[in-house]
């Protein structure tokens, strides 16, 4: 196992710059998730770690070694691809044994390693099948088996679950996490799905347009997003944003769209009248007499909770309640944001304003 | 079609019981037969009939302008004793085997080369097709000229380089002539093999090579363990066709050597033409042609087994 250090890494395809200086340090044994919208450069970064793309600028280290010019096979990494990339003409066992075979490992050792990996992943009964004879989830497992057999320094995953159906995805999520707890191999995992990132990661790297927006533990990102992008990206349903001005003199507050008064625990210093964005997560609304008046538009119960879409100061917001209210479209309710859980962002830069 | 649609409506009417014929006309299993009828008619008219006729003629003593009578296996008995016929069999096998093997090797090499990323890829791919596009007779004439005893550009160049003192008698010497026609056949046949294999190469998912790179495969190991096995179904198809075309080749030989010198380049096809059309012995020519059938069937059998879907190709698609 090894740490991975990415220092000011840049990547350009021809004249198009797609990664603009990314710095991330990944500790030995850590499970790090790179998350961001499609096209932000997550795969490119991962492929640079793997050695499938060369590095335009900066430096990547695996352990102590700078690997910028080290060919993939000498980096001692294993990668799981989104489409699994299983060799269609080889059995499951041969797929998993392929790297060992190339290395010229003795047959007994190869068999033992393949069997152990098959045991861990429950692939024992499938060893003689061909990839085409497997379901999506089974193929996914074989792809992981192929990585495990190598016993590498670092596992790299590129959206490994996005070809699976929703239910299987949740199951595999847990399985991958368990696997990591068991093997404790340093892992870099790429996904566009923030739920996957939140549930699996020790540390999340949020990327956007080739830069890192924020690095932190899942709860850090949820509780203290450093900017409006991260705030909107992490959490589901997404955070509500309302534009307006901060009221700092007297008791702190926020004047939202159409003069709606919203509560604020404390205003940032020297911010009276400053235009800002007020962020509040759907789950941080309560119904209270001193809340702001809103009109219900749509009610979507999911059983465990109810999502309510409502017009607040003319803007649509989402609120989520665990308790069961009897709401009908057109009803007037008083929605109150929890002042302790409000986020304020600069209107221009999107930077976080409150502590 | 309209017929079927109308009748199915008629069949629903309970006025009269549908006859067996009516039911046959709308039966789902028979529907396939109706749809295949036109194609079958064409195949019978243009493929099966001439083939059958050819085989029939080989059992007669037909000559040009005379229908001939059934003489059993007499033509074949003649051929059995005919050393020129056996020479043509040997020539055909040699020609087919050597040309196909080299076409495969060169075609595969070119396909792999053209599959790499390189500048002017599109133009190079188009260039490779040129020998395939030029009409056979035209390229045969060009080769005839290139290999001419007096004016050969090769002889001329070699003489000017002081490598030889006399012109090489390319098409007049037994071994040279065989080499030359095989060379011309290869030149013509390589594009077909190369372009088809290139198409096959492009169906291999690039991520397989990436996975193999990470698994530590060298370029050669990738070819050996991934490209080649995934290409085998296409190789089987393309080589079957290549063997069939080469075995039945006529134009190139006829334009370059007419089977000479001293029958050294006579293939079964050219010998058949010479006996049947030039000499007028239709029955004997037809017998030579018919004698090709067992060889062709054998080639098809080999590829049939080569072509069978491999075990790994069964089941759902991989993507
Ligand atoms: N081989 C390539 N050539 C040119 N542009 C590329 C190449 N690969 C990726 N890109 C571009 O780089 C950007 C990042 O791609 P990628 O890393 O695949 O994003 P994602 O975060 O969705 O994985 C995209 O805008 C994509 O169009
Ligand atoms: Mg990607």
């Amino acid at each position: 196992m090894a740490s991975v250090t990415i220092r000011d890494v840049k990547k350009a395809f021809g004249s198009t710059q797609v990664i603009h200086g990314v710095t991330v340090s990944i500790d030995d044994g850590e499970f790090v998730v790179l998350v961001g919208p499609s096209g932000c450069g997550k795969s490119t970064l991962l492929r640079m770690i793997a050695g499938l793309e060369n590095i335009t600028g900066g430096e990547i280290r695996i352990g102590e070694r700078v690997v910028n010019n080290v060919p993939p096979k000498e980096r001692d990494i294993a990668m799981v691809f989104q489409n699994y990339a299983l060799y269609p003409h080889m059995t499951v066992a041969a797929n998993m044994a392929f790297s060992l075979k190339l290395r010229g490992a003795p047959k007994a050792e190869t068999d033992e390693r393949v069997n152990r990996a098959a045991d861990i992943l429950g692939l024992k009964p499938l060893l003689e099948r061909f990839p085409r004879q497997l379901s999506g989830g089974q193929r996914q497992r074989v792809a992981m088996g192929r990585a495990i057999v190598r016993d590498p320094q670092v596992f790299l995953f590129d959206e490994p679950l996005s070809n699976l159906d929703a239910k299987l995805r949740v199951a595999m999520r847990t399985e991958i996490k368990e696997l990591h707890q068991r093997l404790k191999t340093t892992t870099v995992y790429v996904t566009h799905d923030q739920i996957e990132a939140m549930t699996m990661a020790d540390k999340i790297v949020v990327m956007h347009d080739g830069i890192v927006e924020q690095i932190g533990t899942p709860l850090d990102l949820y509780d203290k997003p450093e900017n409006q992008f991260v705030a909107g990206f992490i959490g589901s349903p997404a955070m509500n944003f309302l534009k307006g001005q901060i009221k700092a003199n007297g008791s702190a507050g926020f004047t939202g769209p159409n003069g709606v008064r919203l509560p604020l625990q404390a205003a940032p210093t020297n911010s009276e009248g400053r235009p800002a964005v007020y962020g509040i997560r759907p789950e941080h609304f309560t119904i209270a007499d001193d809340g702001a008046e809103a009109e219900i538009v749509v009610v979507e119960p999911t059983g465990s909770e109810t999502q309510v879409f409502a017009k607040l100061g003319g803007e649509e917001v989402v609120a989520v309640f665990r308790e069961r209210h009897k709401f009908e479209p057109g009803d007037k309710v008083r929605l109150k944001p929890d002042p302790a859980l409000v986020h304020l962002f600069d209107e221009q830069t999107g930077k976080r304003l409150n502590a | 079609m309209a017929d079927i649609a109308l009748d199915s409506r008629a069949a629903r009417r309970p006025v009269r019981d549908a006859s067996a014929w009516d039911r046959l006309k709308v039966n789902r299993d028979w529907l396939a037969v109706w749809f295949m009828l036109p194609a079958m008619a064409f195949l019978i008219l243009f493929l099966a009939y001439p083939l059958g006729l050819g085989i029939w003629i080989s059992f007669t003593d037909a000559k040009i302008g005379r229908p001939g009578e059934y003489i059993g296996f007499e033509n074949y008995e003649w051929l059995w004793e005919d050393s020129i016929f056996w020479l043509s069999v040997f020539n055909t096998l040699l020609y087919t085997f050597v040309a196909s093997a080299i076409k495969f090797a060169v075609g595969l090499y070119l396909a792999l080369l053209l599959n790499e990323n390189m500048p002017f890829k599109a133009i190079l791919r188009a260039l490779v097709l040129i020998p395939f596009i030029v009409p056979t007779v035209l390229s045969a004439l060009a080769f005839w000229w290139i290999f001419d005893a007096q004016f050969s550009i090769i002889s001329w160049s070699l003489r000017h380089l002081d490598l030889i003192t006399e012109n090489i008698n390319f098409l007049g010497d037994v071994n040279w002539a065989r080499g030359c026609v095989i060379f011309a056949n290869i030149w013509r046949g390589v594009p077909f093999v190369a372009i088809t294999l290139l198409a096959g190469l492009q169906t291999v998912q690039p991520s397989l090579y990436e996975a193999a790179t990470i698994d530590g495969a060298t370029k050669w190991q990738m070819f050996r363990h991934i490209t080649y096995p995934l290409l085998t179904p296409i190789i089987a198809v393309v080589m079957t066709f290549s063997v069939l075309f080469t075995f039945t080749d006529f134009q190139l030989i006829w334009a370059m050597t007419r089977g000479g010198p001293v029958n050294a380049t006579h293939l079964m096809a050219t010998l058949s033409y010479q006996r049947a059309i030039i000499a007028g012995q239709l029955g004997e020519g037809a017998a030579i042609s018919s004698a090709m059938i067992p060889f062709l069937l054998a080639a098809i059998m080999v590829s049939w087994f080569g072509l069978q879907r491999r075990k790994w190709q069964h089941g759902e698609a991989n993507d």
Side-chain angles (χ1 to χ4, degrees):
Chain A
M1 276 173 283
S3 59
V4 177
T5 316
I6 300 166
R7 200 174 52 72
D8 197 24
V9 162
K10 298 191 173 83
K11 175 71 187 176
F13 289 107
S15 58
T16 337
Q17 183 96 10
V18 296
I19 305 233
H20 311 267
V22 163
T23 301
V24 182
S25 56
I26 297 163
D27 293 337
D28 191 4
E30 206 171 18
F31 195 113
V32 169
V33 175
L34 303 179
V35 70
S38 184
C40 70
K42 316 175 290 283
S43 296
T44 305
L45 186 58
L46 194 76
R47 291 163 59 82
M48 286 195 285
I49 301 175
L52 294 174
E53 299 283 359
N54 51 25
I55 299 161
T56 312
E59 182 182 282
I60 294 180
R61 285 169 187 267
I62 297 178
E64 289 310 305
R65 185 159 66 138
V66 177
V67 294
N68 286 36
N69 295 315
V70 175
K73 68 178 208 176
E74 286 162 33
R75 295 191 185 194
D76 202 4
I77 43 102
M79 183 156 169
V80 175
F81 294 81
Q82 176 170 354
N83 62 3
Y84 318 134
L86 300 179
Y87 309 120
H89 57 294
M90 296 185 198
T91 61
V92 168
N95 260 284
M96 295 207 282
F98 189 56
S99 61
L100 299 176
K101 182 174 156 191
L102 293 179
R103 218 186 280 169
K107 175 113 178 52
E109 186 200 330
T110 307
D111 287 349
E112 196 223 301
R113 287 222 214 173
V114 169
N115 276 319
R116 203 172 49 211
D119 251 347
I120 294 175
L121 293 162
L123 289 172
K124 267 280 170 65
L126 306 178
L127 282 177
E128 293 313 312
R129 295 230 199 139
F130 288 96
R132 274 178 179 249
Q133 301 164 323
L134 303 177
S135 70
Q138 290 168 334
R139 285 178 200 166
Q140 160 67 57
R141 246 180 237 138
V142 176
M144 294 204 306
R146 195 166 62 178
I148 293 176
V149 164
R150 307 262 316 269
D151 192 15
Q153 301 271 338
V154 183
F155 280 135
L156 305 174
F157 289 87
D158 192 353
E159 312 229 8
L161 305 184
S162 51
N163 285 359
L164 302 180
D165 63 66
K167 196 159 179 181
L168 201 51
R169 206 178 304 157
V170 174
M172 288 306 296
R173 211 156 77 189
T174 316
E175 218 169 282
I176 294 179
K177 198 165 172 177
E178 263 174 24
L179 191 67
H180 178 252
Q181 282 161 3
R182 176 166 177 176
L183 302 175
K184 302 204 165 44
T185 306
T186 313
T187 302
V188 185
Y189 185 106
V190 162
T191 178
H192 64 269
D193 179 355
Q194 58 94 19
I195 304 234
E196 248 169 57
M198 293 294 281
T199 50
M200 301 174 83
D202 293 326
K203 184 155 91 190
I204 298 180
V205 178
V206 182
M207 290 182 65
H208 181 211
D209 282 349
I211 57 155
V212 171
E213 293 279 1
Q214 188 172 358
I215 301 177
T217 65
L219 295 182
D220 274 350
L221 299 189
Y222 181 83
D223 293 337
K224 277 209 163 50
E226 268 168 26
N227 54 51
Q228 200 180 334
F229 176 80
V230 176
F233 192 78
I234 301 289
S236 168
M239 187 186 284
N240 299 294
F241 295 114
L242 296 162
K243 284 190 180 171
Q245 285 94 39
I246 299 171
K247 184 168 135 340
N249 296 345
S251 65
F254 189 86
T255 316
N258 292 316
V260 181
R261 319 248 346 155
L262 298 164
L264 204 59
Q265 202 166 42
T269 44
N270 291 331
S271 62
E272 174 63 30
R274 177 171 179 175
V277 176
Y278 185 94
I280 182 73
R281 293 194 184 278
E283 53 273 35
H284 297 152
F285 277 115
T286 48
I287 303 287
D289 291 341
D290 57 345
E293 191 179 82
E295 184 187 326
I296 294 187
V297 184
V298 176
V299 180
E300 292 180 349
T302 63
S304 63
E305 54 183 39
T306 307
Q307 289 186 26
V308 176
F309 295 81
K311 290 254 185 228
L312 181 76
E315 297 279 322
E316 189 154 298
V317 296
V318 190
V320 171
F321 300 106
R322 299 207 62 108
E323 59 274 20
R324 299 198 176 175
H325 297 289
K326 286 223 172 347
F327 292 139
E328 291 292 332
D331 285 359
K332 297 270 196 291
V333 293
R334 292 196 163 270
L335 287 179
K336 184 180 178 198
D338 182 340
L341 300 173
V342 165
H343 309 264
L344 282 181
F345 301 104
D346 186 280
E347 199 179 6
Q348 244 78 56
T349 64
K351 284 247 177 321
R352 185 181 185 83
L353 294 177
N354 56 345
Chain B
M1 249 327 289
D3 196 350
I4 292 166
L6 282 176
D7 267 85
S8 72
R9 225 176 299 145
R12 253 183 266 124
R13 234 186 295 137
V15 181
R16 79 187 155 91
D17 277 344
S19 69
W21 172 240
D22 281 335
R23 264 180 274 123
L24 216 53
K25 274 196 281 187
V26 295
N27 183 299
R28 285 212 148 247
D29 299 330
W30 277 85
L31 207 57
V33 175
W34 300 134
F35 282 133
M36 281 192 297
L37 261 179
M40 266 157 58
F42 269 105
L43 288 178
I44 289 170
L45 190 64
F46 292 113
L47 288 178
Y49 173 71
L51 183 66
L53 185 63
I55 294 175
W56 165 248
I57 292 176
S58 75
F59 291 112
T60 70
D61 59 357
K63 297 203 168 39
I64 286 184
R66 194 167 71 84
E69 293 185 6
Y70 179 76
I71 54 166
F73 283 89
E74 223 169 273
N75 283 324
Y76 292 96
E77 281 158 20
W78 270 108
L79 286 180
W80 193 262
E81 307 290 323
D82 182 351
S83 64
I84 294 178
F85 168 73
W86 286 113
L87 180 63
S88 79
V89 172
F90 168 79
N91 288 339
T92 311
L93 290 176
L94 180 80
Y95 184 73
T96 306
F97 186 77
V98 175
S100 295
I102 297 179
K103 276 189 275 192
F104 172 63
V106 176
L108 182 60
Y109 178 74
L110 272 180
L112 290 170
L113 212 62
L114 291 175
N115 199 34
E116 295 288 316
N117 275 321
M118 53 178 169
F120 312 114
K121 195 154 79 172
I123 294 177
L124 285 172
R125 284 181 188 176
L127 281 180
V128 168
L129 274 175
I130 284 183
F132 198 50
I133 298 165
V134 180
T136 311
V137 171
L138 193 63
S139 50
L141 286 177
F143 274 113
W144 183 55
W145 191 236
I146 289 171
F147 293 135
D148 186 87
Q150 284 185 34
F151 305 108
S152 164
I153 181 150
I154 303 175
S155 293
W156 184 87
S157 311
L158 291 177
R159 248 183 323 136
H160 279 251
L161 290 171
D162 284 330
L163 291 173
I164 52 171
T165 50
E166 273 174 61
N167 276 0
I168 300 171
N169 192 1
F170 284 110
L171 298 179
D173 175 85
V174 169
N175 290 325
W176 274 115
R178 283 180 177 154
C180 290
V181 290
I182 288 176
F183 179 84
N185 179 281
I186 292 168
W187 183 82
R188 263 196 75 70
V190 156
F192 171 68
V193 178
I195 294 294
T196 317
L197 292 182
L198 178 61
L201 284 177
Q202 291 178 341
T203 64
V204 181
Q205 277 182 38
S207 62
L208 294 185
Y209 294 118
E210 293 186 337
T213 307
I214 289 179
D215 275 343
T218 58
K219 277 256 166 204
W220 163 248
Q221 285 170 325
M222 277 190 227
F223 173 76
R224 168 75 190 71
H225 296 292
I226 295 175
T227 313
Y228 184 73
L230 289 178
L231 218 51
T232 43
I234 295 229
I235 291 176
V237 179
V238 81
M239 287 322 290
T240 304
F241 278 98
S242 178
V243 165
L244 293 185
F245 290 153
T246 314
F247 195 92
T248 56
D249 196 10
F250 170 81
Q251 289 188 63
L252 257 184
I253 304 285
W254 198 253
M256 280 174 74
T257 65
R258 308 242 153 162
V262 285
N263 301 319
T265 60
H266 246 320
L267 302 186
M268 291 167 83
T270 52
L271 189 66
S272 163
Y273 179 80
Q274 194 184 47
R275 297 268 169 96
I277 309 296
I278 310 279
Q281 307 285 347
L282 279 181
E284 199 182 327
I288 297 173
S289 289
S290 301
M292 293 164 80
I293 294 174
F295 292 102
L296 295 176
L297 281 181
I300 290 172
M301 291 299 275
V302 169
S303 71
W304 167 259
F305 290 111
L307 271 177
Q308 276 182 336
R309 274 163 77 83
R310 279 152 189 78
K311 209 162 155 237
W312 56 266
Q313 290 177 301
H314 286 285
E316 231 184 304
N318 202 1
D319 33 26

